[in-house]
């Protein structure tokens, strides 16, 4: 009895006074994957529809009809409990990841695509494929590395799916792509191997390819700056007739052997403020999601898509046209042809599920009238 009481007392002291609770909520969950008996990618939500409704209403404060429209048109993020993937490209054996963390969102014709990475870095990153109309989960696309995959984009002219990638060993940012046709043909069950990229471009002008968007035959690649008062950029990269990035010959490759033959250069720049997690745009507006950590609400700001005399766009915070607050940990966003937004959240991933904050396990639909 004495030993039991002493053990409980020491544990209680560690839990509440010596940071045990904080370690469990903020460190343990990010470095460990929970055990599961599941052997398929789950499609059920973490939280109930009622919980989802209340979480959104805490920030949006909209009428019941609008809120119901938002809930009906949002998508449950699959794979948050279990995702089929691999541990490395040579494994050829399916493994289950329980720490997939959603990041990117885009629409590709009849599909909704959601990218996610393994927070413990044990498993390859994936893209979940959903039916746009029925909201049904169709399959997972296993990617050939463990990149953060902060965003994905779809080129509807050349039918390519673009992915943000990063090489940890060389500290190089990339954008990579595979065709929609290859995505449709891909079946993980056949060989338990990842899909292959058909296009790869290093982005030397950004520290990382944190988020990305496609619009009007160009890729817009942004960098996440942790300091909200700092400034960063979104860079526009034009595409060529074959669907790849327009490149410029690299004269330095004649001097240094390890230099690439050519590289991509941005044609214009969007100046943005820190904490940017995602960007979507049309001919009139630029929408930017901002968040950092689980203590502060996320922000969605809209700006005028108007180039200045230098051919660039100033989308820094002091130039915003409209702004609304969103639940914490908003990530990438996608804008449809009608100006409606779809916002991804990472807060329901296992790495963050124990934190004392609101959690969103859906791709949240935001009608244009709500944020513009």
């Amino acid at each position: 009895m004495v030993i039991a009481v002493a053990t409980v007392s020491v544990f209680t002291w560690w839990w509440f006074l010596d940071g045990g609770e904080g370690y469990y909520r903020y460190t343990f969950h990010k470095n460990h994957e929970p055990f599961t008996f599941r052997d398929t990618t789950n499609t059920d939500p973490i939280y109930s529809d009622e919980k989802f409704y209340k979480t959104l209403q805490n920030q949006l404060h909209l009428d019941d009809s609008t809120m119901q429209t938002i809930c009906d048109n949002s998508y449950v993020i699959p794979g948050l409990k279990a995702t089929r993937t691999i541990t490395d490209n040579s494994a050829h054996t399916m493994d289950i990841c329980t720490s997939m963390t959603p990041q990117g969102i885009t629409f590709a014709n009849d599909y909704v695509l959601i990218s996610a990475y393994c927070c413990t870095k044990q498993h390859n990153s994936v893209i979940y494929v959903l039916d746009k109309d029925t909201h049904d989960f169709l399959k997972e696309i296993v990617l050939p590395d463990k990149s953060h995959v902060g965003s994905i984009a779809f080129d509807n002219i050349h039918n390519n799916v673009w992915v943000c990638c990063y090489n940890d060993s060389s500290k190089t940012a990339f954008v990579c792509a595979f065709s929609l046709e290859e995505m449709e043909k891909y079946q993980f069950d056949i060989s338990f191997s990842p899909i292959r990229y058909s296009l790869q471009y290093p982005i030397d002008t950004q520290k990382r390819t944190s988020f990305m968007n496609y619009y009007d035959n160009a890729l817009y690649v942004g960098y996440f700056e942790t300091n909200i008062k700092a400034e960063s950029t979104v860079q526009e990269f034009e595409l060529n007739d074959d669907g790849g990035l327009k490149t410029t010959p690299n004269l330095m490759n004649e001097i240094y052997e390890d230099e690439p033959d050519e590289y991509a250069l941005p044609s214009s720049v969007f100046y943005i403020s820190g904490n940017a997690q995602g960007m979507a745009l049309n001919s009139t507006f630029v929408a930017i999601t901002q968040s950092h950590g689980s203590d502060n609400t996320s922000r969605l700001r809209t700006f005028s898509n108007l180039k200045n005399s230098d051919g660039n766009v100033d989308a820094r915070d002091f130039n915003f046209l409209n702004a609304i607050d969103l639940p914490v940990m908003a990530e990438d966003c996608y804008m449809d042809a009608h100006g409606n937004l779809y916002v991804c959240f990472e807060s329901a991933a296992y790495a963050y599920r124990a934190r004392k904050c609101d959690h969103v396990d859906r791709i949240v639909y935001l009608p244009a009238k709500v944020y513009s």
Side-chain angles (χ1 to χ4, degrees):
M1 179 66 72
V2 172
I3 294 175
V5 171
T7 300
V8 171
S9 298
V10 170
F11 179 81
T12 302
W13 172 82
W14 173 78
W15 184 260
F16 290 106
L17 299 180
D18 199 38
E21 181 183 19
Y23 170 81
Y24 172 75
R25 295 184 187 279
Y26 290 86
T27 303
F28 180 85
H29 268 239
K30 292 193 71 173
N31 294 293
H32 297 82
E33 295 192 19
F35 174 78
T36 182
F37 286 106
R38 295 173 183 262
D39 59 2
T40 59
T41 298
N42 79 283
T43 60
D44 54 319
I46 302 290
Y47 306 102
S48 67
D49 293 345
E50 292 76 17
K51 175 66 174 177
F52 173 57
Y53 185 103
K54 291 178 181 178
T55 298
L56 286 187
Q57 188 66 302
N58 286 340
Q59 297 294 335
L60 298 179
H61 309 295
L62 299 170
D63 62 85
D64 290 341
S65 176
T66 302
M67 282 299 302
Q68 194 57 54
T69 299
I70 290 174
C71 292
D72 291 343
N73 288 278
S74 296
Y75 294 83
V76 172
I77 300 173
L80 292 174
K81 297 178 181 178
T83 294
R84 297 197 313 166
T85 180
I86 55 178
T87 53
D88 62 73
N89 293 351
S90 60
H92 299 298
T93 302
M94 186 270 289
D95 201 49
I96 292 293
C97 176
T98 54
S99 70
M100 279 295 173
T101 306
Q103 296 291 298
I105 169 66
T106 193
F107 285 16
N109 293 351
D110 298 328
Y111 309 107
V112 175
L113 309 182
I114 305 168
S115 66
Y117 76 100
C118 172
C119 192
T120 66
K121 295 296 182 181
Q122 297 181 49
H123 300 95
N124 282 33
S125 304
V126 300
I127 293 176
Y128 305 113
V129 183
L130 282 67
D131 186 289
K132 185 173 68 174
D133 296 326
T134 66
H135 294 212
D136 291 338
F137 171 73
L138 301 178
K139 61 183 176 181
E140 62 282 286
I141 306 295
V142 178
L143 300 176
D145 56 34
K146 297 177 173 64
S147 288
H148 191 79
V149 291
S151 184
I152 48 178
F154 178 63
D155 169 7
N156 61 349
I157 296 177
H158 305 96
N159 286 325
N160 286 324
V161 178
W162 289 88
V163 185
C164 286
C165 300
Y166 187 75
N167 187 313
D168 284 312
S169 59
S170 64
K171 306 299 181 185
T172 305
F174 286 86
V175 291
C176 305
F178 52 82
S179 70
L180 186 66
E181 180 183 6
E182 287 299 315
M183 187 199 82
E184 291 176 326
K185 291 192 301 184
Y186 175 83
Q187 294 296 330
F188 180 54
D189 291 334
I190 294 178
S191 63
F192 298 116
S193 298
I195 198 168
R196 293 185 177 182
Y197 292 127
S198 55
L199 297 171
Q200 295 188 56
Y201 294 90
I203 303 297
D204 296 329
T205 52
Q206 291 280 41
K207 295 179 182 178
R208 279 182 179 266
T209 52
S210 304
F211 56 92
M212 176 175 55
N213 197 269
Y214 171 86
Y215 174 69
D216 195 22
N217 206 40
L219 281 184
Y220 294 82
V221 181
Y223 171 65
F224 170 80
E225 177 63 61
T226 56
N227 183 356
I228 193 171
K229 295 182 179 180
E231 295 179 359
S232 184
T233 61
V234 175
Q235 299 175 1
E236 177 187 8
F237 293 87
E238 296 178 353
L239 302 184
N240 58 36
D241 293 339
D242 296 326
L245 269 60
K246 289 185 177 180
T247 57
T248 300
N250 182 11
L251 299 180
M252 296 299 293
N253 73 338
E254 299 179 1
I255 303 174
Y256 302 103
E257 292 183 357
D258 58 346
E259 284 285 328
D261 294 336
E262 52 189 16
Y263 50 82
L265 290 177
S267 56
S268 71
V269 170
F270 288 63
Y271 299 105
I272 61 173
S273 296
N275 285 187
Q277 296 278 9
M279 168 193 175
L281 72 162
N282 57 25
S283 60
T284 306
F285 297 108
V286 178
I288 295 177
T289 52
Q290 294 173 299
S291 71
H292 187 213
S294 56
D295 294 330
N296 301 308
T297 56
S298 303
R299 295 160 299 279
L300 171 62
R301 289 188 169 98
T302 54
F303 305 85
S304 173
N305 188 7
L306 180 65
K307 292 186 177 181
N308 57 27
S309 57
D310 296 329
N312 302 316
V313 176
D314 193 336
R316 289 175 289 183
D317 284 352
F318 54 79
N319 276 332
F320 79 90
L321 301 177
N322 196 20
I324 63 172
D325 287 339
L326 296 174
V328 299
M329 307 185 81
E331 291 292 316
D332 194 20
C333 61
Y334 169 79
M335 184 185 294
D336 67 19
H338 305 289
N340 305 311
L341 277 180
Y342 296 81
V343 183
C344 184
F345 291 80
E346 67 176 1
S347 53
Y350 178 75
Y352 308 112
R353 209 175 297 159
R355 297 190 181 187
K356 294 180 179 179
C357 64
D358 287 331
H359 301 276
V360 177
D361 60 353
R362 322 286 167 104
I363 300 296
V364 176
Y365 166 76
L366 290 177
K369 66 178 183 179
V370 169
Y371 73 90
S372 60

